[in-house]
Amino acid sequence: MSLDVATLRADFAILTRTVRDEKPLVYLDSGATSQRPRQVLDAERKFLETANAAVHRGAHQLAEEATDAYEDARAKIAAFVGVDSGSISGSAGGGEIVFTKNATEGINLVAYAMSNAATAGPEMKRFTLSEGDEVVITEMEHHANLVPWQQLCQRTGATLRWFGVTDDGRLDLSNIDELITERTKVVAFTHQSNVLGTINPVRQLVAKAREVSALTVLDACQSVPHGPVDFHELGVDFAVFSGHKMLGPSGIGVLYGRRELLEAMPPFLTGGSMIELVKMEGSTFASPPQRFEAGVPMTSQAVGLGAAVDYLNSIGMDNIAKHEHELTRAAVAGLSAIDGVRIVGPGIDEDGDVHDRGGAVSFVVDGVHPHDVSQVLDSLGIAVRVGHHCAWPLHRRLGIPATVRASFYLYNQPSDVDALVAGVREAQRFFGVTDEEPANGQA
Amino acid sequence: MQLESMYQDIILDHYKHPHGRGLREPFDGESFQVNPTCGDEVTLRVHVDDDTITDVSYDGQGCSISQASVSVLNELVVGNTVEQAMTTMNAFVELMQGRGTVEPDEDVLDDGIAFAGVAKYPARVKCALLGWMALKAALASAGAAEAAQGVEVQ
């Protein structure tokens, strides 16, 4: 591995603490939220101690410095995902990166802008939905990329359709020509499943959506933190990701929108900062990204996310992806080797490796409910996620109520995988499923 | 952490050998409860005869804590009056929401005292209370609503 885990772990103070009776922390829940290095915390603190002010308003020196810091962060983040940041001063607009509260808000922003388009005049027609139109999503979506589209369909009379999932956790594209048709207005899907780890064929879906002039929306929450991602190269129209899953602060998410679309799209939230001209009779709106950033935005969080991007760049996204691939392969192999444990998602292929999957490794243990598995792991200091991971329809499709999910990041080490595998064996021992049949037929 | 403090033998025994499991007729009230954070669910029916709870039948899926809790519930309330069941429920809820500071009364809670260890783990308290939420709602739908009031299960 070309990544010096021992050295970089020293940047994450939380990884040195112990939990549950002095057990060293084994943090395998970065898919839910990642830990933050000292460099990110320092950047936020430095900003707040030296340059804090409300951005894009005020002409005093602090206001200038705060605005520069905010827009500088935007530029770094834009470059990180291969898109345009617009003018650094921000006043000229044109940027493709919009700061939101989180990724969920980013998706809602697009969905509500499409609702608002219905009453925003004929020039907004390309964003409007009505009866007979269709929105296509997938059965493996996080609720954040599912419920907003259900709601949009309810408000507009459009129909929601979705790709199914195969038994081995891949997108079932066999009916792509029936699903994506002239009626399709939006195709929204995840880059990488937060449960299965599956990496979806973005280019194939984008190509098909373009054939019918449908807009594409990519949930990149589980991809952008873990490897190189270039939205221009992928060709998506919109994409979202969250700061706190990529070593950055919570309270900040990112919406990417293709410049030409953001320039044409009506706003979602309205108020201060997002206007061009306000009269009592009516208002006009600022150019993007300001049009979509109503009110005083989160600023130290943007600065912190900029620092997180610097940190990730200093390690190298290729190195991180490679490192996580090794951990994922070891975890999938190690867990699969245990009798009574089943990986939910792509497993080890014939070549002994894993393919087109990221570091979210979900599994079930015969006879031991996921909650109980995680409780045993917790008692050993191992933090994993348990439940349906905000992907309830996916679990229903797979016929299981819940899964245990281990997820990896750059600071995880091979010994973490060993601890996980040993912990799962301990859960089996504790609940007596290695020697006897469970009395209560749990999935 | 001592796993055994949460997973008392009584709990594991109820989990592996649940009492009164399965949905039965006749019944006067039914409730379906789900824990939206984890997907655990329980459907619970009550049969009330002249103010006495003559049967509690249930089905569901979930962790050992949620499933053992509803098994204990069955043992604790079947044969009791609605009022007695409410007293038991209040005691159980108080125990579970006490963060481990409440000393359970074995005369009231019987096997339910085994859940004292669970009360120290806030994430699992909801599991233990799932069946009791269902009991409260099922009694309400059975017309024993008045008696079921005054118990706030969070």
Side-chain angles (χ1 to χ4, degrees):
Chain A
M1 285 179 205
S2 47
L3 188 150
D4 185 355
V5 187
T7 301
L8 73 84
R9 279 176 71 89
D11 295 327
F12 296 81
I14 201 168
L15 298 178
T16 62
R17 71 161 284 183
T18 59
V19 291
R20 305 292 186 207
D21 298 340
E22 307 301 312
K23 305 281 192 326
L25 172 66
V26 177
Y27 188 74
L28 300 180
D29 199 17
S30 296
T33 200
S34 62
Q35 299 302 344
R36 298 171 211 174
R38 185 172 25 84
Q39 289 83 342
V40 167
L41 306 176
D42 286 350
E44 275 198 85
R45 185 179 188 96
K46 184 181 168 214
F47 170 79
L48 291 167
E49 288 184 343
T50 62
N52 186 44
V55 302
H56 286 302
R57 57 209 4 100
H60 53 79
Q61 185 176 342
L62 288 190
E64 276 175 16
E65 288 180 14
T67 302
D68 283 350
Y70 181 69
E71 292 302 331
D72 187 39
R74 193 196 309 274
K76 282 179 192 171
I77 293 159
F80 186 66
V81 290
V83 305
D84 301 335
S85 65
S87 146
I88 293 295
S89 76
S91 54
E96 296 184 305
I97 291 294
V98 176
F99 286 128
T100 59
K101 178 179 73 182
N102 49 31
T104 299
E105 186 185 281
I107 295 171
N108 275 277
L109 189 159
V110 176
Y112 274 97
M114 296 184 89
S115 290
N116 292 344
T119 52
E123 73 277 14
M124 298 295 181
K125 194 165 174 2
R126 62 188 299 192
F127 295 108
T128 61
L129 267 71
S130 56
E131 217 164 308
D133 292 334
E134 293 178 353
V135 175
V136 176
I137 60 170
T138 86
E139 210 173 12
M140 66 168 75
E141 294 311 308
H142 187 285
H143 297 165
N145 201 24
L146 191 170
V147 182
W149 303 118
Q150 279 180 340
Q151 294 292 306
L152 176 65
C153 287
Q154 260 183 37
R155 291 195 298 273
T156 59
T159 303
L160 187 71
R161 304 185 69 190
W162 53 88
F163 285 99
V165 174
T166 63
D167 288 337
D168 59 348
R170 299 283 181 190
L171 218 48
D172 178 5
L173 295 170
S174 60
N175 56 347
I176 187 168
D177 292 330
E178 290 98 78
L179 274 173
I180 299 180
T181 69
E182 294 298 326
R183 292 186 298 279
T184 309
K185 284 294 181 77
V186 180
V187 182
F189 57 99
T190 186
H191 194 176
Q192 182 177 313
S193 164
N194 70 313
V195 178
L196 307 164
T198 307
I199 294 172
N200 285 320
V202 179
R203 285 182 189 80
Q204 185 184 355
L205 287 159
V206 166
K208 185 69 196 170
R210 279 186 176 168
E211 273 176 32
V212 300
S213 302
L215 294 171
T216 47
V217 182
L218 187 71
D219 173 357
C221 286
Q222 298 291 339
S223 57
V224 165
H226 300 287
V229 174
D230 184 320
F231 292 138
H232 279 180
E233 197 184 300
L234 290 172
V236 291
D237 293 315
F238 297 98
V240 299
F241 55 97
S242 45
H244 69 98
K245 292 190 201 295
M246 52 188 286
L247 312 183
S250 55
I252 187 160
V254 175
L255 166 70
Y256 155 74
R258 204 147 55 72
R259 177 192 300 254
E260 176 252 336
L261 290 168
L262 286 185
E263 279 171 358
M265 196 165 78
F268 163 40
L269 299 173
T270 55
S273 291
M274 54 75 67
I275 50 88
E276 178 186 54
L277 191 65
V278 178
K279 295 180 180 172
M280 291 313 291
E281 294 75 20
S283 304
T284 56
F285 306 127
S287 297
Q290 272 69 38
R291 187 188 305 162
F292 303 101
E293 295 180 358
V296 175
M298 62 302 277
T299 313
S300 63
Q301 292 91 331
V303 170
L305 184 53
V309 162
D310 286 341
Y311 189 90
L312 291 168
N313 281 330
S314 74
I315 307 285
M317 294 312 290
D318 282 317
N319 291 334
I320 292 171
K322 200 171 150 216
H323 173 69
E324 287 185 41
H325 180 92
E326 283 309 308
L327 294 172
T328 304
R329 188 197 52 73
V332 172
L335 291 168
S336 304
I338 304 175
D339 273 346
V341 173
R342 184 162 60 85
I343 299 290
V344 178
I348 298 283
D349 287 329
E350 281 172 9
D351 63 357
D353 204 351
V354 290
H355 297 281
D356 294 322
R357 68 121 64 227
V361 178
S362 295
F363 58 95
V364 290
V365 180
D366 288 344
V368 190
H369 190 276
H371 256 177
D372 296 319
V373 176
S374 86
Q375 198 76 53
V376 175
L377 294 175
D378 176 57
S379 77
L380 299 167
I382 305 166
V384 293
R385 174 83 188 266
V386 64
H388 50 58
H389 319 299
C390 298
W392 214 337
L394 172 65
H395 282 75
R396 217 170 270 128
R397 153 67 183 90
L398 298 170
I400 43 178
T403 49
V404 184
R405 181 187 72 187
S407 52
F408 301 102
Y409 211 177
L410 72 170
Y411 39 65
N412 289 116
Q413 46 200 353
S415 62
D416 295 345
V417 174
D418 298 340
L420 172 70
V421 172
V424 171
R425 288 188 190 280
E426 172 57 18
Q428 288 183 313
R429 190 203 61 78
F430 186 83
F431 283 93
V433 295
T434 41
D435 301 317
E436 60 179 269
E437 284 297 304
N440 195 354
Q442 298 297 310
Chain B
M1 174 207 175
Q2 294 296 314
L3 264 187
E4 287 77 8
S5 77
M6 173 181 289
Y7 294 112
Q8 305 266 328
D9 286 343
I10 294 173
I11 292 178
L12 293 178
D13 190 52
H14 275 276
Y15 175 52
K16 291 180 177 177
H17 309 285
H19 294 238
R21 192 179 171 91
L23 291 171
R24 288 178 292 278
E25 297 189 1
F27 64 98
D28 306 292
E30 183 181 84
S31 170
F32 170 73
Q33 295 288 329
V34 61
N35 182 344
T37 59
C38 65
D40 281 9
E41 56 186 53
V42 64
T43 302
L44 183 144
R45 292 172 174 178
V46 289
H47 183 33
V48 183
D49 195 1
D50 196 22
D51 209 37
T52 295
I53 299 173
T54 53
D55 191 25
V56 172
S57 66
Y58 62 91
D59 199 5
Q61 59 182 17
C63 64
S64 59
I65 302 298
S66 70
Q67 301 303 301
S69 176
V70 70
S71 169
V72 169
L73 179 158
N74 170 284
E75 280 204 327
L76 283 175
V77 306
V78 172
N80 284 353
T81 65
V82 172
E83 196 186 335
Q84 285 168 327
M86 286 302 113
T87 304
T88 308
M89 177 194 260
N90 280 328
F92 191 75
V93 170
E94 190 197 354
L95 172 65
M96 295 318 299
Q97 294 179 344
R99 288 262 180 162
T101 60
V102 176
E103 192 63 40
D105 182 347
E106 189 166 4
D107 290 340
V108 178
L109 289 176
D110 202 12
D111 276 2
I113 64 166
F115 289 83
V118 180
K120 293 177 199 156
Y121 299 92
R124 303 304 295 274
V125 168
K126 274 186 183 170
C127 310
L129 290 177
L130 189 67
W132 294 88
M133 289 166 67
L135 174 69
K136 187 188 173 195
L139 284 172
S141 80
E146 222 168 275
Q149 274 173 7
V151 183
E152 279 307 315
V153 182
Q154 286 165 1

